[in-house]
Amino acid sequence: MVLIIPAIILALLIGAVIIFNKLVSLRQMSENGWSDIEVQLKRRADLIPRLVSTVKGYASHERKLFEDVTAKRMQALAAGNNPRERGVAESRLKQPVSRIMALAEDYPDLKASGNFLELQEELSDTEDKIEMARRFYNGAVRELNTKIETIPSNLVAGPMGFKTRDYFEIDVMDAAAPDVEFSS
């Protein structure tokens, strides 16, 4: 009987340590996932000025669109590390960038430009990488949030300061294909 109580306490301590270590591992995985997203978003942000510069030579009268892209790019970069705010800013940026890509249809010389085609390919590749990184991050966040909110790990997570994280989402309204209207 004397050994039963210390054995129970020892088992509870070992269980708490195992849960704590699992929570740390999941937190690190979600931080790694967010880091991957940031790398790809930065890559896209670096491609956008090159794209705007290339398109400006062919469609200089689209000044308002270029200003919109520049402003939304700055907002996206300023959104920082908050996945919710960053997702909103990035999805707002995606709309004018899509409109720039659509300009190629109205300018055959632009459509045939090697520089534009290369940028278009790089941007498409980057968008694919952002989507893969987003899926990885959201999966890691789902696992972390589930662990934080379920028994018995929530008994360790709360006192040890683990908090649920936001998913990196794009608003359905923002993700819809933009209406592109060109004035003659």
Side-chain angles (χ1 to χ4, degrees):
M1 196 55 108
V2 173
L3 294 175
I4 293 176
I5 292 177
I8 291 172
I9 291 172
L10 182 63
L12 289 173
L13 285 173
I14 290 172
V17 167
I18 291 170
I19 289 171
F20 178 82
N21 288 340
K22 180 64 175 177
L23 288 166
V24 168
S25 173
L26 292 172
R27 181 177 59 199
Q28 291 299 321
M29 191 169 19
S30 69
E31 288 173 1
N32 176 271
W34 182 250
S35 177
D36 289 347
I37 288 173
E38 282 191 316
V39 165
Q40 296 308 322
L41 292 176
K42 174 78 169 102
R43 181 172 184 240
R44 179 172 67 186
D46 291 346
L47 287 171
I48 289 172
R50 290 176 44 206
L51 180 67
V52 167
S53 176
T54 300
V55 174
K56 264 185 185 178
Y58 294 90
S60 58
H61 64 280
E62 298 288 347
R63 183 182 177 134
K64 185 174 187 243
L65 175 59
F66 300 138
E67 289 171 357
D68 190 29
V69 168
T70 302
K72 289 187 175 162
R73 177 182 177 265
M74 295 306 289
Q75 291 170 358
L77 290 173
N81 289 333
N82 182 310
R84 183 167 288 151
E85 291 173 15
R86 189 72 181 260
V88 169
E90 290 292 338
S91 57
R92 286 183 182 146
L93 171 61
K94 198 169 185 172
Q95 291 177 340
V97 170
S98 296
R99 290 196 323 257
I100 285 179
M101 300 304 281
L103 279 177
E105 297 302 318
D106 287 351
Y107 298 92
D109 291 343
L110 173 62
K111 196 173 181 178
S113 163
N115 193 23
F116 179 77
L117 293 173
E118 179 185 325
L119 287 167
Q120 190 176 32
E121 172 112 8
E122 282 185 59
L123 200 54
S124 177
D125 181 53
T126 301
E127 291 297 333
D128 290 343
K129 289 178 180 177
I130 290 169
E131 182 58 26
M132 287 187 299
R134 187 185 71 80
R135 276 192 243 136
F136 176 83
Y137 170 78
N138 284 345
V141 166
R142 181 189 63 244
E143 286 185 47
L144 175 64
N145 290 351
T146 300
K147 194 75 166 171
I148 288 172
E149 294 175 348
T150 56
I151 296 174
S153 54
N154 64 346
L155 301 173
V156 174
M160 294 303 209
F162 287 91
K163 306 270 187 242
T164 58
R165 295 188 176 226
D166 290 330
Y167 292 101
F168 184 62
E169 298 291 339
I170 295 175
D171 273 349
V172 174
M173 293 299 289
D174 290 335
D179 290 333
V180 179
E181 186 178 316
F182 299 103
S183 54
S184 301

